[in-house]
């Protein structure tokens, strides 16, 4: 990110959104989980590992997009990039495993789609770097990090989705508050993914407009 102020703003918002969500899982206590757990003994460890590796990818991603790091410390950028790819790979695969524990088909498909495009964009970015195509590497890694940030945008979208649900139903809430929250959480991944990809493709990666000649 070339704009230092924007970098700090996005970092602050991301930490403010993610840390309160992730903190209970650092206790490694299943009773603190924010999602319903099945009787399987594997679901909670998979969930914790997914969250921790995704959080590391998020933090490392911010380091990677500091202009000063890329220019003045290329070795740090290279090794941090490998850590980012490894964390996305682990977290993305674990996310696919978590899909099989989800009761909502809509949420499961959204999570599966998010994981697939996250893994693909990161793999493409890694392959471009290995082949020396650094401009393409940069573009794919920006896409990858945009998908990483769905963990943030998807949660920011929830209050707006709750309001939209209420407006659509004339503020009558036919299924009650619990139904409203459940419906919002079923689609917030889709909303976050679409918004982030739009932001990446149309704002961050948009080629500069050609200056008109007199």
């Amino acid at each position: 990110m070339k704009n230092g102020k924007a970098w700090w703003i996005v970092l602050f918002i991301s930490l403010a959104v993610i840390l309160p969500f992730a903190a209970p899982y650092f206790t490694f206590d299943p009773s603190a989980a924010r999602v319903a757990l099945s009787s399987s003994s594997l679901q909670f460890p998979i969930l914790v590992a997914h969250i921790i590796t995704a959080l590391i990818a998020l933090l490392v991603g911010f380091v990677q997009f500091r202009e000063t790091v890329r220019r003045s410390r290329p070795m740090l950028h290279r090794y941090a990039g490998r850590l980012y790819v490894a964390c996305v790979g682990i977290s993305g695969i674990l996310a696919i495993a978590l899909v099989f524990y989800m009761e909502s088909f809509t949420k499961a498909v959204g999570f599966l789609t998010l994981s697939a495009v996250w893994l693909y964009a990161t793999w493409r970015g890694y392959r471009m770097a290995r082949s020396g195509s650094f401009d393409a590497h940069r573009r794919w890694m920006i896409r990858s990090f945009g998908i990483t940030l769905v963990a943030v945008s998807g949660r920011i979208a929830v209050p707006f989705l709750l309001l939209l649900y209420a407006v659509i139903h004339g503020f009558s809430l036919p299924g009650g508050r619990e139904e409203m929250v459940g419906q919002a959480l079923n689609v917030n991944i889709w909303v976050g993914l679409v918004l982030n990809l739009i932001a990446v493709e149309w704002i961050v990666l948009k080629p500069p407009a050609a200056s008109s000649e007199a």
Side-chain angles (χ1 to χ4, degrees):
M1 295 181 183
K2 294 182 179 181
N3 190 324
K5 184 179 292 186
W7 185 91
W8 282 108
I9 291 173
V10 177
L11 174 62
F12 176 79
I13 292 174
S14 298
L15 294 179
V17 171
I18 289 298
L19 290 182
F21 164 79
Y25 294 97
F26 297 145
T27 65
F28 302 102
D29 179 6
S31 65
R34 295 177 178 268
V35 298
L37 297 176
S38 69
S39 58
S40 170
S41 61
L42 290 177
Q43 183 184 4
F44 185 70
I46 292 173
L47 178 61
V48 171
H50 161 70
I51 291 172
I52 290 175
T53 49
L55 180 60
I56 294 173
L58 180 73
L59 297 175
V60 172
F62 276 107
V63 173
Q64 287 296 82
F65 285 100
R66 284 294 286 174
E67 198 74 20
T68 53
V69 171
R70 295 206 308 274
R71 289 182 177 178
S72 61
R73 306 191 67 179
M75 191 63 68
L76 173 61
H77 177 74
R78 183 178 302 171
Y79 283 108
R82 291 174 181 172
L83 176 60
Y84 174 83
V85 170
C87 286
V88 171
I90 295 170
S91 188
I93 292 171
L94 292 175
I96 294 173
L98 289 172
V99 166
F100 296 96
Y101 294 100
M102 296 179 180
E103 295 182 358
S104 168
F105 179 72
T106 303
K107 187 172 185 177
V109 172
F111 213 64
L112 181 62
T113 303
L114 174 66
S115 303
V117 296
W118 194 27
L119 289 168
Y120 178 75
T122 306
W123 174 78
R124 287 281 291 173
Y126 173 75
R127 291 301 303 163
M128 291 300 103
R130 295 288 294 176
S131 66
S133 303
F134 293 109
D135 185 60
H137 161 71
R138 173 183 169 274
R139 296 177 70 85
W140 277 107
M141 279 307 186
I142 290 175
R143 292 184 179 107
S144 170
F145 191 57
I147 299 167
T148 303
L149 287 172
V150 171
V152 177
S153 60
R155 289 177 174 85
I156 292 175
V158 170
F160 300 97
L161 292 171
L162 295 175
L163 177 61
L164 179 61
Y165 181 94
V167 170
I168 290 174
H169 291 86
F171 296 96
S172 61
L173 306 185
R177 184 174 298 179
E178 185 175 344
E179 172 70 14
M180 176 178 67
V181 173
Q183 292 292 342
L185 293 177
N186 284 342
V187 299
N188 70 314
I189 291 175
W190 287 108
V191 173
L193 179 59
V194 170
L195 290 178
N196 283 22
L197 290 179
I198 289 174
V200 166
E201 297 296 335
W202 291 1
I203 299 175
V204 179
L205 295 179
K206 181 180 179 180
S211 57
S212 58
E213 296 181 3

